[in-house]
Amino acid sequence: MISNFSHTRDSLLRINGNSSRDAQKAQVAVDELKDFVLAQHKKIIKYVELGSIVTTSSSIEIKDALTAMRHVTSVLDELATFHASGLLATTFEVAFHYANEALKKAEKQAEKLLSYVVK
């Protein structure tokens, strides 16, 4: 899955918030990451809401969405920890909490949905 994010993890570790461009770069990045997490969560929600019916093959989509959400949440946690004492702390901390809460909900929903799949 290609992300098409505007900024990489490494580029976000190199900013420090001392310039307005850093704050702008951080905000663009967290907005993209939050939108991505929401889009992945919506893939799971469509099964919860019966927009789609769970099948054996749909379990792959559910697991892929969870994997992507876990990956992004992990990177946001790393960024929040790295920037914890800097000027961008709040930006990354808020984004991490958003992603982490969405991930917790998605994991509960996915666990129930995947219990329907015949093994």
Side-chain angles (χ1 to χ4, degrees):
M1 172 185 307
I2 296 178
S3 67
N4 295 319
F5 296 135
S6 299
H7 304 287
T8 65
R9 173 194 154 277
D10 288 343
S11 72
L12 295 171
L13 289 170
R14 286 194 299 270
I15 61 176
N16 60 22
N18 287 333
S19 80
S20 62
R21 289 189 51 92
D22 287 352
Q24 182 182 19
K25 181 187 274 191
Q27 192 60 55
V28 166
V30 298
D31 287 346
E32 288 176 350
L33 292 168
K34 286 167 54 177
D35 288 347
F36 180 82
V37 166
L38 179 60
Q40 296 306 305
H41 193 191
K42 283 182 178 180
K43 290 178 182 181
I44 295 169
I45 291 171
K46 77 179 180 186
Y47 293 104
V48 173
E49 298 295 330
L50 292 176
S52 293
I53 301 298
V54 174
T55 64
T56 304
S57 63
S58 62
S59 66
I60 294 169
E61 181 181 22
I62 294 167
K63 289 176 184 178
D64 280 350
L66 275 179
T67 301
M69 290 177 76
R70 287 176 181 149
H71 182 199
V72 169
T73 302
S74 172
V75 170
L76 282 169
D77 184 29
E78 179 184 4
L79 291 167
T81 301
F82 181 81
H83 289 287
S85 61
L87 298 172
L88 301 172
T90 302
T91 301
F92 289 110
E93 188 67 29
V94 168
F96 166 69
H97 284 294
Y98 172 88
N100 197 44
E101 287 303 311
L103 176 59
K104 287 177 188 176
K105 289 177 188 173
E107 287 175 331
K108 285 182 182 181
Q109 292 165 330
E111 181 179 7
K112 185 173 182 176
L113 291 168
L114 293 173
S115 72
Y116 305 146
V117 177
V118 177
K119 297 181 182 13

mmCIF file of all heavy atoms in Angstrom, residues 8 12 14-15 30 32-33 38 41 43 53 57 61 66 71 75 78 81-82 90-91 99 105-106 114:
data_model
loop_
_atom_site.group_PDB
_atom_site.id
_atom_site.type_symbol
_atom_site.label_atom_id
_atom_site.label_comp_id
_atom_site.label_asym_id
_atom_site.label_seq_id
_atom_site.Cartn_x
_atom_site.Cartn_y
_atom_site.Cartn_z
ATOM 1 N N THR A 8 7.961 12.382 5.093
ATOM 2 C CA THR A 8 8.381 11.085 5.612
ATOM 3 C C THR A 8 8.584 11.161 7.123
ATOM 4 O O THR A 8 8.697 12.258 7.696
ATOM 5 C CB THR A 8 9.713 10.633 4.975
ATOM 6 O OG1 THR A 8 10.756 11.536 5.383
ATOM 7 C CG2 THR A 8 9.612 10.574 3.461
ATOM 8 N N LEU A 12 10.116 14.381 9.426
ATOM 9 C CA LEU A 12 9.397 14.898 10.598
ATOM 10 C C LEU A 12 10.232 14.787 11.873
ATOM 11 O O LEU A 12 10.002 15.516 12.827
ATOM 12 C CB LEU A 12 8.057 14.180 10.754
ATOM 13 C CG LEU A 12 7.077 14.438 9.609
ATOM 14 C CD1 LEU A 12 5.864 13.530 9.713
ATOM 15 C CD2 LEU A 12 6.655 15.905 9.572
ATOM 16 N N ARG A 14 13.394 15.500 11.747
ATOM 17 C CA ARG A 14 14.420 16.537 11.581
ATOM 18 C C ARG A 14 13.913 17.952 11.857
ATOM 19 O O ARG A 14 14.698 18.880 11.948
ATOM 20 C CB ARG A 14 15.016 16.464 10.175
ATOM 21 C CG ARG A 14 15.955 15.294 9.975
ATOM 22 C CD ARG A 14 16.774 15.441 8.709
ATOM 23 N NE ARG A 14 15.974 15.497 7.504
ATOM 24 C CZ ARG A 14 15.618 14.434 6.778
ATOM 25 N NH1 ARG A 14 15.983 13.239 7.145
ATOM 26 N NH2 ARG A 14 14.894 14.584 5.689
ATOM 27 N N ILE A 15 12.608 18.141 11.969
ATOM 28 C CA ILE A 15 12.098 19.493 12.237
ATOM 29 C C ILE A 15 12.065 19.726 13.740
ATOM 30 O O ILE A 15 12.031 18.790 14.528
ATOM 31 C CB ILE A 15 10.703 19.721 11.604
ATOM 32 C CG1 ILE A 15 9.668 18.746 12.178
ATOM 33 C CG2 ILE A 15 10.792 19.619 10.089
ATOM 34 C CD1 ILE A 15 8.262 18.985 11.681
ATOM 35 N N VAL A 30 0.342 15.618 10.144
ATOM 36 C CA VAL A 30 -0.595 14.979 11.073
ATOM 37 C C VAL A 30 -2.012 14.972 10.503
ATOM 38 O O VAL A 30 -2.750 14.013 10.732
ATOM 39 C CB VAL A 30 -0.558 15.572 12.506
ATOM 40 C CG1 VAL A 30 0.802 15.393 13.141
ATOM 41 C CG2 VAL A 30 -0.990 17.002 12.549
ATOM 42 N N GLU A 32 -2.745 14.601 7.331
ATOM 43 C CA GLU A 32 -2.743 13.479 6.388
ATOM 44 C C GLU A 32 -2.797 12.142 7.116
ATOM 45 O O GLU A 32 -3.530 11.232 6.708
ATOM 46 C CB GLU A 32 -1.488 13.520 5.514
ATOM 47 C CG GLU A 32 -1.489 14.612 4.489
ATOM 48 C CD GLU A 32 -0.197 14.690 3.693
ATOM 49 O OE1 GLU A 32 0.797 14.015 4.038
ATOM 50 O OE2 GLU A 32 -0.190 15.442 2.709
ATOM 51 N N LEU A 33 -2.027 12.023 8.174
ATOM 52 C CA LEU A 33 -1.996 10.771 8.925
ATOM 53 C C LEU A 33 -3.339 10.497 9.601
ATOM 54 O O LEU A 33 -3.823 9.356 9.607
ATOM 55 C CB LEU A 33 -0.857 10.791 9.945
ATOM 56 C CG LEU A 33 0.549 10.777 9.340
ATOM 57 C CD1 LEU A 33 1.602 11.086 10.397
ATOM 58 C CD2 LEU A 33 0.835 9.461 8.659
ATOM 59 N N LEU A 38 -8.499 7.519 9.670
ATOM 60 C CA LEU A 38 -9.953 7.551 9.549
ATOM 61 C C LEU A 38 -10.422 6.722 8.355
ATOM 62 O O LEU A 38 -11.390 5.958 8.455
ATOM 63 C CB LEU A 38 -10.453 8.988 9.428
ATOM 64 C CG LEU A 38 -11.961 9.177 9.259
ATOM 65 C CD1 LEU A 38 -12.721 8.597 10.454
ATOM 66 C CD2 LEU A 38 -12.288 10.648 9.079
ATOM 67 N N HIS A 41 -10.187 3.111 9.241
ATOM 68 C CA HIS A 41 -11.241 2.751 10.196
ATOM 69 C C HIS A 41 -12.585 2.619 9.478
ATOM 70 O O HIS A 41 -13.383 1.728 9.786
ATOM 71 C CB HIS A 41 -11.305 3.777 11.318
ATOM 72 C CG HIS A 41 -12.134 3.330 12.470
ATOM 73 N ND1 HIS A 41 -12.498 4.175 13.487
ATOM 74 C CD2 HIS A 41 -12.693 2.135 12.788
ATOM 75 C CE1 HIS A 41 -13.239 3.509 14.365
ATOM 76 N NE2 HIS A 41 -13.366 2.273 13.960
ATOM 77 N N LYS A 43 -13.084 1.504 6.588
ATOM 78 C CA LYS A 43 -13.124 0.195 5.930
ATOM 79 C C LYS A 43 -13.684 -0.864 6.867
ATOM 80 O O LYS A 43 -14.355 -1.797 6.432
ATOM 81 C CB LYS A 43 -11.729 -0.206 5.448
ATOM 82 C CG LYS A 43 -11.225 0.624 4.300
ATOM 83 C CD LYS A 43 -9.823 0.202 3.895
ATOM 84 C CE LYS A 43 -9.306 1.074 2.767
ATOM 85 N NZ LYS A 43 -7.955 0.669 2.335
ATOM 86 N N ILE A 53 -21.014 -7.114 3.785
ATOM 87 C CA ILE A 53 -21.151 -8.318 4.598
ATOM 88 C C ILE A 53 -19.776 -8.975 4.717
ATOM 89 O O ILE A 53 -19.039 -9.080 3.735
ATOM 90 C CB ILE A 53 -22.158 -9.306 3.952
ATOM 91 C CG1 ILE A 53 -23.528 -8.648 3.802
ATOM 92 C CG2 ILE A 53 -22.250 -10.611 4.733
ATOM 93 C CD1 ILE A 53 -24.182 -8.221 5.096
ATOM 94 N N SER A 57 -12.965 -13.640 2.377
ATOM 95 C CA SER A 57 -12.028 -12.759 1.679
ATOM 96 C C SER A 57 -12.003 -11.347 2.263
ATOM 97 O O SER A 57 -10.981 -10.665 2.192
ATOM 98 C CB SER A 57 -12.330 -12.709 0.184
ATOM 99 O OG SER A 57 -13.601 -12.168 -0.049
ATOM 100 N N GLU A 61 -9.145 -7.554 4.045
ATOM 101 C CA GLU A 61 -9.282 -6.096 4.058
ATOM 102 C C GLU A 61 -9.317 -5.566 5.494
ATOM 103 O O GLU A 61 -8.694 -4.543 5.799
ATOM 104 C CB GLU A 61 -10.545 -5.658 3.311
ATOM 105 C CG GLU A 61 -10.707 -4.150 3.291
ATOM 106 C CD GLU A 61 -11.960 -3.665 2.591
ATOM 107 O OE1 GLU A 61 -12.934 -4.430 2.454
ATOM 108 O OE2 GLU A 61 -11.952 -2.496 2.167
ATOM 109 N N LEU A 66 -6.341 -2.758 9.840
ATOM 110 C CA LEU A 66 -5.775 -2.737 11.194
ATOM 111 C C LEU A 66 -4.261 -2.617 11.168
ATOM 112 O O LEU A 66 -3.672 -1.863 11.958
ATOM 113 C CB LEU A 66 -6.143 -4.018 11.957
ATOM 114 C CG LEU A 66 -7.481 -4.039 12.656
ATOM 115 C CD1 LEU A 66 -7.689 -5.392 13.333
ATOM 116 C CD2 LEU A 66 -7.607 -2.927 13.665
ATOM 117 N N HIS A 71 0.527 0.666 12.149
ATOM 118 C CA HIS A 71 1.784 1.240 11.659
ATOM 119 C C HIS A 71 1.791 2.760 11.838
ATOM 120 O O HIS A 71 2.736 3.333 12.402
ATOM 121 C CB HIS A 71 1.971 0.857 10.191
ATOM 122 C CG HIS A 71 3.249 1.343 9.608
ATOM 123 N ND1 HIS A 71 3.453 1.448 8.261
ATOM 124 C CD2 HIS A 71 4.401 1.788 10.170
ATOM 125 C CE1 HIS A 71 4.658 1.915 8.021
ATOM 126 N NE2 HIS A 71 5.256 2.135 9.171
ATOM 127 N N VAL A 75 4.146 5.157 14.364
ATOM 128 C CA VAL A 75 4.982 6.278 13.918
ATOM 129 C C VAL A 75 4.586 7.558 14.647
ATOM 130 O O VAL A 75 5.455 8.330 15.076
ATOM 131 C CB VAL A 75 4.903 6.452 12.385
ATOM 132 C CG1 VAL A 75 5.570 7.750 11.933
ATOM 133 C CG2 VAL A 75 5.539 5.249 11.683
ATOM 134 N N GLU A 78 6.060 7.481 18.050
ATOM 135 C CA GLU A 78 7.484 7.797 17.980
ATOM 136 C C GLU A 78 7.700 9.299 17.818
ATOM 137 O O GLU A 78 8.557 9.897 18.487
ATOM 138 C CB GLU A 78 8.125 7.045 16.818
ATOM 139 C CG GLU A 78 9.599 7.319 16.649
ATOM 140 C CD GLU A 78 10.201 6.634 15.442
ATOM 141 O OE1 GLU A 78 9.483 5.980 14.666
ATOM 142 O OE2 GLU A 78 11.426 6.778 15.264
ATOM 143 N N THR A 81 6.804 11.165 21.049
ATOM 144 C CA THR A 81 7.857 10.967 22.054
ATOM 145 C C THR A 81 9.087 11.804 21.709
ATOM 146 O O THR A 81 9.655 12.472 22.586
ATOM 147 C CB THR A 81 8.234 9.474 22.147
ATOM 148 O OG1 THR A 81 7.064 8.733 22.508
ATOM 149 C CG2 THR A 81 9.323 9.236 23.169
ATOM 150 N N PHE A 82 9.485 11.785 20.453
ATOM 151 C CA PHE A 82 10.667 12.536 20.013
ATOM 152 C C PHE A 82 10.489 14.034 20.234
ATOM 153 O O PHE A 82 11.406 14.721 20.664
ATOM 154 C CB PHE A 82 10.941 12.246 18.534
ATOM 155 C CG PHE A 82 12.142 12.959 17.997
ATOM 156 C CD1 PHE A 82 13.413 12.456 18.212
ATOM 157 C CD2 PHE A 82 12.002 14.139 17.280
ATOM 158 C CE1 PHE A 82 14.536 13.122 17.719
ATOM 159 C CE2 PHE A 82 13.113 14.812 16.784
ATOM 160 C CZ PHE A 82 14.383 14.304 17.003
ATOM 161 N N THR A 90 2.571 19.354 21.161
ATOM 162 C CA THR A 90 1.109 19.258 21.159
ATOM 163 C C THR A 90 0.592 18.726 19.825
ATOM 164 O O THR A 90 -0.307 17.881 19.796
ATOM 165 C CB THR A 90 0.476 20.627 21.466
ATOM 166 O OG1 THR A 90 0.958 21.070 22.732
ATOM 167 C CG2 THR A 90 -1.028 20.542 21.501
ATOM 168 N N THR A 91 1.169 19.190 18.742
ATOM 169 C CA THR A 91 0.724 18.759 17.409
ATOM 170 C C THR A 91 0.803 17.245 17.275
ATOM 171 O O THR A 91 -0.167 16.593 16.873
ATOM 172 C CB THR A 91 1.588 19.425 16.318
ATOM 173 O OG1 THR A 91 1.482 20.842 16.450
ATOM 174 C CG2 THR A 91 1.137 19.002 14.928
ATOM 175 N N ALA A 99 -5.213 8.901 16.728
ATOM 176 C CA ALA A 99 -4.977 7.630 16.032
ATOM 177 C C ALA A 99 -5.101 6.446 16.984
ATOM 178 O O ALA A 99 -5.671 5.409 16.633
ATOM 179 C CB ALA A 99 -3.596 7.643 15.377
ATOM 180 N N LYS A 105 -10.772 1.371 19.002
ATOM 181 C CA LYS A 105 -12.144 1.095 18.552
ATOM 182 C C LYS A 105 -12.135 0.088 17.406
ATOM 183 O O LYS A 105 -12.920 -0.858 17.379
ATOM 184 C CB LYS A 105 -12.841 2.381 18.105
ATOM 185 C CG LYS A 105 -13.189 3.321 19.224
ATOM 186 C CD LYS A 105 -13.803 4.606 18.676
ATOM 187 C CE LYS A 105 -13.973 5.630 19.777
ATOM 188 N NZ LYS A 105 -14.412 6.925 19.246
ATOM 189 N N ALA A 106 -11.245 0.312 16.447
ATOM 190 C CA ALA A 106 -11.162 -0.568 15.279
ATOM 191 C C ALA A 106 -10.778 -1.992 15.681
ATOM 192 O O ALA A 106 -11.308 -2.962 15.127
ATOM 193 C CB ALA A 106 -10.164 -0.007 14.269
ATOM 194 N N LEU A 114 -14.156 -10.505 12.806
ATOM 195 C CA LEU A 114 -13.340 -11.646 12.400
ATOM 196 C C LEU A 114 -13.772 -12.931 13.086
ATOM 197 O O LEU A 114 -13.480 -14.015 12.596
ATOM 198 C CB LEU A 114 -11.855 -11.354 12.648
ATOM 199 C CG LEU A 114 -11.272 -10.252 11.771
ATOM 200 C CD1 LEU A 114 -9.851 -9.920 12.197
ATOM 201 C CD2 LEU A 114 -11.326 -10.621 10.300
#
